[in-house]
Amino acid sequence: MSSHAKGNLRCLLLLLLLAVLGLCWISYKSDPQTRRTSIVHLFEWRWTDVALECERYLAPNGFAGIQISPPNENLVITMPWRPWWERYQPISYKICSRSGNENEFRNMVTRCNNVGVHIYVDAVFNHMCSSGAGSGYRGTCGSYFNAGSRYFPAVPYSNFDFNDQICKTPSGDIANYSDPVQVRDCRLLGLVDLTQRSDYVRSKIADYMNHLLGIGVAGFRIDASKHIWPQDINAIIDKLNNLNTRWFPRNSRPFIYQEVIDMGGEAVRSYEYFGNGQVTEFQYGAQLGTVLRKWNGKKMANLKNWGESWNLMPSDKAIVFVDNHDNQRGHGAGGSSILTFRNHRLYRMAVSFMLAHPYGTTRIMSSYRWPRHIQNGTDINSWVGPPSYSDGSIKHVPINPNGTCGNGWVCEHRWHQIRNMVIFRNVVYGQPLVQWWDNYNNQVAFGRDGKGFIIFNNDDRNLFEMLPTGLPAGIYCDVITGQKEGNHCTGIEIHVAANGLANFYINSQAENPYIAIHVEAKL
């Protein structure tokens, strides 16, 4: 072979090698731990709609993954309509719920993984259904159960698998939340409490989770983790398989985050669960809501040291959110300080602050509307289930011409301000917070070290400031009032000078009183 031919062969082999490496890189790039950084909770969506949303919206806009509602068989409850919380009353671990059957679930997981959006299952295994649910074939798959005798043959579980003989309260329910033993060994709201100290129970739970891992899910939110001993969760996690190598690197472990409501000073503390994975930080939304509402003398300038110095858990352990499916209804924790889609102006600001700030792993809520009815400070309609047809089946999520959702679905993740801030977070990933500025009140700004800059006006007066952004010189498109489209901005343009300075004007009465720019929105 001539030297020229050998040279051509080397070039060809090099190109082939680069192509292979490139394909590997593209596959790995879809991992949420690289560039995509935010999870969205598509609360009560059908699996067919989730699959469509992955392909048409979530993947193109840089979402990392989806928290889905519990996929396993649950008790069917009519009152006269089916409440959302029936999903948290398991009958078995069969994949069969109002969201769809196992074939639809498999199709969803495959399609979402194929576009790099991962599925995180809300896993309910602290308990089964209510002790007062009676008996019958009233599961979403038609399975028989007898709650009174603790008989769930579709798993199977019997009376040996529950904590009735271990709990020491007269009623069998938690009577004193200051007692960590009661919190973990007694019934939560009458739900029959599984004994996860049993290796049989641990194995049944792990079998369910491994079945889902085999299908291709990426991890789990563990519901009611506060009511399970952390060492028992650890023993279950140890039984879990690695992620499916069809979509994930070999030896990848499931992403675990645990629901622990710890508002400080409680008998069960968040840090007890750090060894198992990440933990929900319920103080995040409560404290941020208090600040943006300007309650108790709080102001946005106080957010300069937002994070651990506010007695929040370490950033690498925290799952953070402005609201979730419980506290947006007045349950859980946070009370009236929690901002929701009903407080749309402040809510957008809160979610955008969360996405711009480096603290924690972010989860975005995507809701549906329900008719609120407040009596004595309580929403007595907080039980209302998702938009449904007369037969109880969940309505599909239609997309309107303007990108919003119909049929009563709110779809906060589709609000353009939130979508564009998901992209902002991906662009600034890994960059420290710099260039903090505030007016000692409710006008604040900060940068993400040469990648992005955001400024808020939550004061009652207009903001007009020249500030150092730390960004390269050029014209940037504000991604709150619009975005970059081709070679122009659809909203406000921000001109950054050679020294990084830029002028900002924000009217205090603006519908979106904040501006965000980043290097990928530069003309």
Side-chain angles (χ1 to χ4, degrees):
M1 183 181 292
S2 69
S3 60
H4 180 70
K6 288 179 181 177
N8 286 339
L9 180 60
R10 289 192 197 99
C11 287
L12 179 60
L13 290 172
L14 179 60
L15 287 170
L16 288 171
L17 178 60
L18 288 173
V20 171
L21 289 174
L23 288 172
C24 292
W25 178 79
I26 290 168
S27 174
Y28 184 70
K29 187 180 178 183
S30 68
D31 190 312
Q33 296 182 0
T34 54
R35 286 277 294 191
R36 300 182 183 189
T37 57
S38 296
I39 297 169
V40 58
H41 184 189
L42 298 183
F43 183 49
E44 289 282 10
W45 281 42
R46 297 171 69 124
W47 308 145
T48 52
D49 285 317
V50 173
L52 284 170
E53 192 72 347
C54 283
E55 295 166 339
R56 69 193 172 194
Y57 188 85
L58 298 178
N61 289 296
F63 286 79
I66 306 164
Q67 178 182 312
I68 59 167
S69 292
N72 59 289
E73 182 178 20
N74 61 263
L75 178 67
V76 175
I77 300 172
T78 55
M79 49 183 294
W81 301 285
R82 294 171 65 176
W84 63 267
W85 44 261
E86 76 167 38
R87 297 287 281 262
Y88 294 86
Q89 298 211 21
I91 295 299
S92 79
Y93 299 136
K94 296 177 182 178
I95 310 303
C96 177
S97 70
R98 282 211 284 175
S99 290
N101 59 38
E102 180 162 336
N103 286 337
E104 291 167 326
F105 183 87
R106 286 176 176 273
N107 179 263
M108 170 195 69
V109 173
T110 296
R111 290 166 62 184
C112 290
N113 276 337
N114 284 346
V115 293
V117 181
H118 299 156
I119 300 297
Y120 301 100
V121 168
D122 195 350
V124 184
F125 58 75
N126 169 67
H127 54 264
M128 299 301 279
C129 68
S130 170
S131 58
S135 63
Y137 296 88
R138 302 199 329 271
T140 45
C141 298
S143 296
Y144 178 80
F145 72 98
N146 187 322
S149 64
R150 309 297 191 256
Y151 182 49
F152 296 88
V155 179
Y157 286 139
S158 69
N159 62 331
F160 297 107
D161 302 315
F162 295 88
N163 275 331
D164 297 290
Q165 303 304 315
I166 297 171
C167 174
K168 302 303 180 185
T169 66
S171 68
D173 292 341
I174 301 167
N176 178 11
Y177 274 82
S178 296
D179 181 348
V181 176
Q182 280 191 33
V183 170
R184 282 137 166 175
D185 286 349
C186 298
R187 295 194 302 256
L188 168 66
L189 303 174
L191 299 163
V192 292
D193 199 55
L194 284 164
T195 181
Q196 292 84 11
R197 70 191 67 193
S198 158
D199 191 64
Y200 175 80
V201 172
R202 292 172 178 176
S203 295
K204 285 299 176 184
I205 293 167
D207 287 347
Y208 164 58
M209 297 171 78
N210 281 330
H211 180 57
L212 296 172
L213 290 170
I215 291 171
V217 307
F220 303 91
R221 170 199 182 260
I222 301 179
D223 178 67
S225 293
K226 175 179 182 175
H227 301 280
I228 308 171
W229 291 95
Q231 60 268 31
D232 292 338
I233 294 177
N234 183 264
I236 293 166
I237 292 172
D238 282 347
K239 292 178 178 288
L240 298 185
N241 298 333
N242 292 334
L243 300 185
N244 191 318
T245 55
R246 178 177 174 185
W247 297 287
F248 302 96
R250 191 172 300 278
N251 298 322
S252 296
R253 296 296 293 159
F255 178 59
I256 302 294
Y257 54 108
Q258 302 152 96
E259 186 204 18
V260 179
I261 301 176
D262 178 8
M263 302 300 287
E266 300 186 31
V268 175
R269 304 307 307 272
S270 296
Y271 65 79
E272 298 176 62
Y273 294 82
F274 288 170
N276 298 329
Q278 292 192 320
V279 180
T280 51
E281 179 51 279
F282 276 84
Q283 293 191 72
Y284 190 100
Q287 295 202 47
L288 188 58
T290 298
V291 170
L292 288 175
R293 292 180 187 275
K294 307 177 195 176
W295 287 355
N296 305 326
K298 301 290 186 182
K299 55 188 70 173
M300 288 193 77
N302 302 145
L303 296 173
K304 182 176 183 179
N305 297 314
W306 181 243
E308 288 91 338
S309 65
W310 282 63
N311 293 320
L312 303 182
M313 66 184 68
S315 178
D316 65 335
K317 296 299 183 184
I319 293 287
V320 298
F321 44 94
V322 173
D323 63 332
N324 79 343
H325 68 280
D326 277 315
N327 61 21
Q328 71 172 195
R329 291 166 169 74
H331 309 301
S336 57
S337 69
I338 297 298
L339 293 166
T340 74
F341 67 88
R342 299 183 191 276
N343 320 101
H344 55 90
R345 187 171 184 265
L346 287 181
Y347 185 76
R348 289 195 298 266
M349 292 177 66
V351 175
S352 296
F353 180 89
M354 175 183 76
L355 291 169
H357 197 279
Y359 177 85
T361 299
T362 50
R363 184 183 64 190
I364 297 157
M365 184 67 198
S366 191
S367 317
Y368 59 82
R369 293 177 181 85
W370 70 93
R372 297 183 78 198
H373 188 182
I374 307 300
Q375 285 188 1
N376 301 320
T378 300
D379 182 1
I380 63 172
N381 279 349
S382 64
W383 60 270
V384 172
S388 302
Y389 298 105
S390 58
D391 63 356
S393 61
I394 296 174
K395 289 184 177 181
H396 287 285
V397 184
I399 306 302
N400 299 321
N402 65 357
T404 60
C405 297
N407 271 351
W409 299 94
V410 178
C411 295
E412 297 96 317
H413 69 287
R414 278 181 165 265
W415 296 359
H416 78 268
Q417 302 91 342
I418 292 176
R419 174 199 66 209
N420 286 345
M421 286 306 299
V422 167
I423 297 169
F424 179 104
R425 188 174 186 84
N426 292 342
V427 172
V428 304
Y429 174 74
Q431 300 302 111
L433 189 151
V434 296
Q435 259 96 24
W436 177 273
W437 169 88
D438 64 67
N439 70 339
Y440 304 102
N441 205 25
N442 287 292
Q443 296 176 353
V444 304
F446 60 87
R448 294 294 300 276
D449 202 12
K451 292 290 187 179
F453 190 83
I454 192 165
I455 180 167
F456 296 85
N457 182 12
N458 198 31
D459 263 348
D460 296 326
R461 64 183 183 86
N462 296 343
L463 179 154
F464 187 78
E465 293 288 340
M466 178 179 284
L467 296 174
T469 65
L471 297 179
I475 301 172
Y476 292 79
C477 300
D478 171 33
V479 298
I480 304 304
T481 55
Q483 58 198 26
K484 176 184 174 182
E485 289 188 0
N487 60 356
H488 73 283
C489 301
T490 62
I492 294 171
E493 290 185 1
I494 299 296
H495 294 249
V496 176
N499 59 3
L501 291 172
N503 282 312
F504 295 92
Y505 171 75
I506 305 176
N507 189 299
S508 63
Q509 301 305 307
E511 180 62 21
N512 295 293
Y514 60 108
I515 290 171
I517 56 178
H518 59 76
V519 292
E520 292 187 13
K522 179 175 178 285
L523 297 182

